[in-house]
């Protein structure tokens, strides 16, 4: 009997059900899916729709994780979109300039690997730079990344002169558009990134330090953790994730440009907070973020199938966030009454 | 010679440094370009940046109170859109063109205030959400159509008096300039000479202390966010009058540019600090920099890079100085 309860508890915690906020998210998600299935009986639950949803989640998803890790530490990274575009432009430049048309064999494959690594290195470097300004100069994260965001956005436009760089080799396009066992490639990349970051946050000393830093900076310092070191790592990780998002973005569109995904910046914060991340640090799990991304995507796809404008989706996203914040507030107040 | 403490404080303030930078930049641009230091150019700069200045002043008040508003660009867009649709369909005069956006701005500001106060979540999150809601609903309802064909009186604009310079160019003391100066005057008076202004500083400095002093925080929240909405509405009117078009995407997306200008002016994101003069200088620096680069023939592509550099350098110097200062005053408490 005792074993059964502990098993149930383990399952509950595995599904993130121990957290009441996640239960709300699951209920809302189920309600939305139910609603759209009723309204669109033949369209919503079809393989084509599910597949197209699976293609769309990863890009915003990985960018949201990049935002989330900085939020957990009590910071913020406003430069994520600019960083991703910079990495995407660098990858696109190498892919289009150094791979001859129609070439086959090991040469192009090597060059593609170099392009991807260069992009990831570039985004990690930008993240490191953000971390350095925050940790060593003592600039607040919001201002530091506001500055680098503006700077890098400008650099992206100057480098591309506002044009689109397009036309990539097939293997690169496969990363964005291919299917393996019926599941889109980007979803694998997203699942892998989410899993890795989740392990990093929950199972390593680094992860513990990130949460500690987010809840009490002084206490973290006095417990012997090098705050500077942790901040450098957090922002480098955030940058690296932007590079991964960039790879998916450019391979899906088969092009790179200075302004891609620019409307996603505030949406990533919205997604993270909706998923239970405390915008002032210390609290939040990947599972919550994944649930919140699913909610956002179900709304977006459902309304799209109904022929509604994408802007109504954005309005509803904002509305859902306010609704969840309202529920949390209500729960807290009722909780106080009981005590 | 005895120097008053007020002078010393001014010489150490961020406003003074900002003033030096602007003066230096102005001097360089005057020497390097022919057109910079002319009445015509400076007037143009003043007119074309007035709506950003108006929004910056509103945002400054919110920052002083310890909050932040990201949704003001959406508020301005909604306000100008409804105003434009109304005067084109039903006519009306300047009073209508003024009252509609202002009322809408105050209403949307009240929505922000109620949510920020009652949900106890930081205003940046609330206003990101409301930005999406306001803007999304507007575009959904209007399908994002641009508006042209304003009535003649609106196209001609409003001006207090016109004058001609020696070279024969006509200038007018137009709507944008009148409104901008009025906003500066009213906000300066409000913050420094009224009880509510001082209460706003107190709330931003320490919310708990302000509460125990018996300040009505709900009232202050409503005042601050409604004032921001009021100014966003005015900025929407001024911008629509200036460009004679209402394009739903022309103001939204520039919120962080305004945040940068206000923060350059010394307002703190932590609340309780910020001055009108600082904000005016912050907007001026960004305006002159962009104007100077244009006059120098630098492609507009480079503007963002330069502005990014200015933000990074200025916030880094400020933060580093504060760090050194803290180290100097550090005490070993045993």
């Amino acid at each position: 009997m005792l074993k059964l309860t502990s098993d149930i508890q383990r399952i509950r915690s595995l599904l993130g059900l121990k957290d009441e906020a996640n239960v709300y998210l699951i209920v809302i998600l189920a309600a939305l899916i139910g609603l759209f299935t009723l309204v669109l009986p033949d369209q919503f639950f079809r393989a084509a729709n599910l597949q197209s949803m699976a293609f769309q989640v990863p890009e915003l998803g990985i960018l949201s994780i990049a935002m989330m890790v900085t939020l957990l530490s009590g910071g913020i990274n406003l430069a994520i979109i600019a960083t991703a575009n910079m990495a995407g432009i660098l990858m696109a430049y190498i892919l289009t300039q150094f791979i001859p048309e129609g070439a086959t064999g090991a040469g192009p494959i090597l060059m593609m690997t170099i392009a991807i690594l260069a992009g990831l290195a570039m985004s990690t470097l930008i993240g490191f730079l953000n971390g350095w300004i925050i940790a060593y100069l003592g600039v607040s994260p919001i201002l530091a990344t506001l500055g680098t965001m503006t700077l890098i956005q400008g650099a992206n436009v100057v480098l591309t002169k506002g044009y689109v760089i397009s036309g990539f080799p097939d293997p690169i396009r496969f990363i964005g558009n291919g299917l393996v066992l019926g599941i889109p490639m980007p979803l694998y990349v997203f699942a892998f990134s989410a899993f890795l970051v989740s392990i990093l946050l929950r199972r390593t000393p680094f992860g513990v330090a990130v949460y500690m830093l987010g809840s009490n900076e002084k206490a973290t310092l006095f417990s012997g953790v090098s705050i500077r070191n942790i901040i450098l790592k957090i922002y480098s990780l955030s940058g690296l994730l932007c590079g991964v998002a960039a790879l998916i973005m450019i391979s899906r569109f088969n092009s790179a440009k200075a302004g891609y995904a620019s409307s996603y910046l505030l949406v990533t914060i919205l997604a993270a907070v909706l998923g239970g991340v405390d915008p002032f640090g210390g609290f939040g799990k990947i599972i919550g973020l994944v649930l919140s991304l699913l909610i956002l995507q179900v709304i977006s796809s459902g309304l799209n199938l109904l022929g509604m404008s994408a802007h109504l989706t954005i309005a509803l996203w904002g509305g859902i966030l306010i609704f969840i914040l309202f529920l949390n507030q209500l729960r807290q107040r009722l909780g106080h009454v009981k005590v | 010679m005895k120097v008053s403490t007020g002078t010393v404080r001014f010489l150490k303030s961020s406003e003074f440094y900002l003033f030096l930078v602007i003066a230096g930049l102005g001097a360089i641009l005057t020497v390097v370009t022919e057109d910079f230091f002319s009445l015509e150019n400076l007037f143009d700069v003043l007119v074309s940046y007035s709506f950003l200045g108006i929004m910056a002043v509103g945002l400054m008040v919110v920052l002083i109170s310890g909050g932040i508003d990201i949704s003001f660009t959406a508020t301005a867009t909604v306000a100008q859109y409804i105003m434009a649709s109304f005067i084109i369909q039903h006519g009306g005069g300047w009073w209508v063109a003024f009252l509609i956006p202002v009322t809408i701005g105050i209403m949307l500001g009240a929505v922000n205030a109620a949510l920020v106060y009652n949900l106890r979540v930081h205003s940046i999150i609330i206003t990101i959400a409301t930005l999406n809601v306001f803007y999304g609903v507007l575009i959904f309802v209007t399908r994002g159509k641009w508006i042209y064909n304003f009535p003649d009186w609106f196209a001609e604009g409003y001006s207090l008096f016109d004058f001609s310079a020696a070279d024969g160019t006509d200038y007018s003391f137009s709507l944008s300039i009148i409104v901008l100066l009025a906003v500066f005057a009213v906000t300066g008076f409000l913050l420094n000479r009224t009880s509510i202004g001082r209460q706003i500083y107190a709330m931003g400095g320490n919310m708990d202390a302000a509460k125990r002093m018996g300040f009505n925080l709900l009232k202050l929240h409503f005042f601050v966010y409604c004032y921001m909405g009021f100014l966003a509405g005015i900025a929407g009117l001024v911008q629509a009058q200036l460009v004679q078009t209402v394009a739903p995407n022309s103001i939204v997306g520039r919120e962080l540019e305004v945040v940068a200008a206000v923060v350059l002016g010394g307002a703190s994101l932590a609340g309780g600090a910020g001055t009108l003069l600082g904000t005016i200088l912050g907007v001026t620096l960004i305006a002159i920099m962009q104007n100077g680069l244009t006059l120098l023939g630098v492609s507009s592509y480079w503007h963002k890079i330069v502005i990014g550099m200015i933000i990074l350098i200025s916030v880094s110097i400020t933060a580093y100085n504060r760090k050194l200062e803290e180290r100097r005053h550090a005490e070993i408490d045993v």
Side-chain angles (χ1 to χ4, degrees):
Chain A
M1 195 62 199
L2 197 70
K3 190 173 169 301
L4 186 68
T5 4
S6 77
D7 272 352
I8 290 175
Q9 267 181 359
R10 196 177 310 143
I11 292 168
R12 274 169 58 121
S13 95
L14 214 65
L15 290 174
L17 284 177
K18 236 167 37 183
D19 204 339
E20 258 181 84
N22 283 345
V23 179
Y24 287 157
L25 292 179
I26 292 174
V27 170
I28 290 180
L29 182 61
L32 283 169
I33 292 177
L35 184 74
F36 283 124
T37 316
L38 275 181
V39 180
L40 300 156
D42 314 323
Q43 293 170 44
F44 193 77
F45 246 108
R46 277 186 40 197
N49 183 43
L50 295 181
Q51 220 169 52
S52 93
M53 282 170 59
F55 269 116
Q56 286 164 31
V57 168
E59 189 186 329
L60 177 62
I62 297 176
L63 287 169
S64 299
I65 301 178
M67 178 62 86
M68 176 190 173
V69 290
T70 59
L71 290 177
L72 286 178
S73 73
I76 195 168
N77 186 358
L78 293 177
I80 49 171
I81 308 294
T83 310
N85 278 320
M86 171 67 94
I89 288 166
L90 179 65
M91 289 183 205
Y93 179 78
I94 299 177
L95 288 172
T96 49
Q97 294 293 313
F98 295 100
I99 299 178
E101 199 81 37
T104 50
I109 293 288
L110 181 69
M111 211 28 113
M112 283 176 228
T113 316
I114 290 177
I116 294 173
L117 289 180
L120 295 180
M122 170 60 95
S123 63
T124 313
L125 183 72
I126 295 172
F128 183 84
L129 193 75
N130 280 327
W132 186 81
I133 296 172
I134 294 163
Y136 285 81
L137 297 180
V139 180
S140 75
I142 194 167
L143 294 180
T145 55
L146 179 64
T148 49
M149 173 190 95
T150 316
L151 183 73
I152 298 167
Q153 262 178 0
N156 289 341
V157 179
V158 168
L159 288 173
T160 58
K161 299 193 175 65
Y163 291 119
V164 178
I165 307 178
S166 62
F168 304 143
D170 289 341
I172 294 289
R173 289 216 299 268
F174 182 75
I175 297 176
N177 302 297
L179 289 168
V180 176
L181 303 174
I183 294 171
M185 272 300 283
L187 197 63
Y188 286 107
V189 180
F190 171 59
F192 183 69
S193 313
F195 178 71
L196 223 59
V197 173
S198 182
I199 296 283
L200 207 57
L201 287 176
R202 310 303 302 186
R203 297 273 182 269
T204 65
F206 165 73
V208 175
V210 172
Y211 283 99
M212 262 170 74
L213 183 60
S215 33
N216 191 331
E217 188 173 334
K218 279 246 163 65
T220 314
L221 182 67
F222 289 151
S223 63
V225 174
S226 163
I227 289 187
R228 288 181 167 177
N229 198 337
I230 297 292
I231 291 179
L232 282 181
K233 282 184 189 161
I234 293 167
Y235 285 86
S236 304
L237 174 64
S238 179
L240 176 64
L241 287 164
C242 293
V244 177
L247 175 63
I248 290 181
M249 204 155 70
I250 67 164
S251 56
R252 218 160 80 76
F253 299 149
N254 192 20
S255 62
K257 193 181 163 223
Y260 276 158
S262 56
S263 61
Y264 274 168
L265 177 58
L266 297 179
V267 176
T268 59
I269 302 178
L270 193 151
V273 176
L274 180 60
V277 174
D278 183 335
F280 294 93
F283 300 94
K285 291 180 192 166
I286 292 281
I287 180 84
L289 179 68
V290 172
L291 287 174
S292 113
L293 287 165
L294 290 178
I295 291 178
L296 298 182
Q297 186 59 49
V298 165
I299 295 177
S300 158
S301 299
L303 291 185
N304 189 25
L305 286 176
L306 284 171
M308 300 283 194
S309 111
H311 292 281
L312 184 65
T313 307
I314 291 178
L316 263 181
W317 286 359
I320 288 267
L321 175 62
I322 292 176
F323 180 62
I324 286 276
L325 294 176
F326 170 74
L327 283 183
N328 286 342
Q329 183 63 28
L330 203 66
R331 194 185 56 203
Q332 264 175 23
R333 285 195 187 171
L334 292 180
H336 279 300
V337 171
K338 255 185 247 161
V339 173
Chain B
M1 203 173 78
K2 198 165 174 282
V3 186
S4 74
T5 49
T7 319
V8 173
R9 204 189 299 157
F10 180 70
L11 291 179
K12 276 186 144 181
S13 67
S14 61
E15 285 89 348
F16 180 64
Y17 284 109
L18 209 51
F19 179 75
L20 284 185
V21 172
I22 291 172
L25 193 68
I28 294 173
L29 287 173
T30 308
V31 175
V32 180
T33 68
E34 277 176 24
D35 301 324
F36 177 74
F37 199 73
S38 64
L39 201 54
E40 191 180 357
N41 182 52
L42 293 180
F43 237 76
D44 282 348
V45 174
L46 187 61
V47 169
S48 48
Y49 282 87
S50 54
F51 78 97
L52 275 186
I54 295 170
M55 292 195 290
V57 168
L59 181 62
M60 174 195 70
V61 175
V62 184
L63 286 183
I64 291 175
S65 80
I68 190 170
D69 190 342
I70 301 286
S71 69
F72 60 90
T73 51
T75 306
T77 307
V78 173
Q80 68 174 187
Y81 207 98
I82 296 178
M83 179 275 295
S85 314
F86 187 88
I87 60 169
I88 286 173
Q89 286 212 338
H90 305 286
W94 284 108
W95 277 111
V96 178
F98 179 79
L99 277 178
I100 292 178
V102 159
T103 313
I104 290 164
I106 292 177
M107 274 161 40
L108 297 183
V111 170
N112 280 331
L115 290 173
V116 170
Y117 184 81
N118 287 313
L119 296 184
R120 321 255 155 173
V121 177
H122 194 273
S123 44
I124 193 167
I125 304 300
I126 301 284
T127 54
I128 285 175
T130 52
L131 165 74
N132 286 315
V133 175
F134 298 161
Y135 187 64
V137 169
L138 176 76
I139 307 293
F140 175 67
V141 173
T142 65
R143 297 176 184 279
K145 279 197 208 94
W146 289 31
I147 302 181
Y148 320 87
N149 298 328
F150 282 100
D152 290 340
W153 58 269
F154 192 79
E156 276 163 24
Y158 177 82
S159 99
L160 206 56
F161 61 87
D162 301 307
F163 62 95
S164 298
D167 59 359
T169 325
D170 290 328
Y171 300 103
S172 67
F173 208 66
S174 63
L175 181 77
S176 334
I177 300 178
I178 299 167
V179 171
L180 182 67
L181 294 181
V183 165
F184 286 164
V186 170
T187 311
F189 178 78
L190 197 80
L191 284 178
N192 299 312
R193 293 278 177 270
T194 65
S195 162
I196 200 159
R198 304 321 287 175
Q199 289 184 23
I200 291 171
Y201 273 98
M203 177 168 84
N206 189 334
M207 184 140 348
D208 284 334
K211 195 174 181 180
R212 292 195 185 144
M213 286 285 291
F215 294 169
N216 186 343
L217 296 189
L218 177 65
K219 199 179 87 187
L220 285 176
H221 271 84
F222 268 98
F223 183 83
V224 166
Y225 289 94
C226 290
Y227 192 65
M228 167 88 254
F230 168 77
L231 291 186
I234 292 183
L237 164 67
V238 167
Q239 197 262 356
Q241 203 280 322
L242 184 71
V243 299
Q244 290 297 317
T245 328
V246 171
N249 56 359
S250 69
I251 304 183
V252 168
R254 297 182 77 174
E255 40 298 312
L256 294 178
E257 195 181 323
V258 180
V259 172
V262 180
V263 169
L264 272 183
S268 156
L269 290 172
T275 61
L276 181 63
L277 179 65
T279 299
I280 295 174
L281 291 173
V283 177
T284 309
L285 177 60
I286 289 197
I288 288 187
M289 179 61 73
Q290 289 194 346
N291 176 246
L293 289 172
T294 309
L295 292 178
L296 286 171
V298 176
S299 137
S300 63
Y301 293 157
W302 286 89
H303 290 191
K304 271 209 154 160
I305 297 192
V306 176
I307 290 174
M309 292 294 283
I310 294 178
I311 297 174
L312 274 181
I313 292 172
S314 115
V315 296
S316 297
I317 291 176
T318 317
Y320 199 68
N321 274 341
R322 195 180 54 223
K323 227 175 172 179
L324 291 183
E325 193 86 356
E326 271 171 19
R327 212 169 285 167
R328 210 170 296 144
H329 292 298
E331 279 176 37
I332 297 169
D333 192 0
V334 183

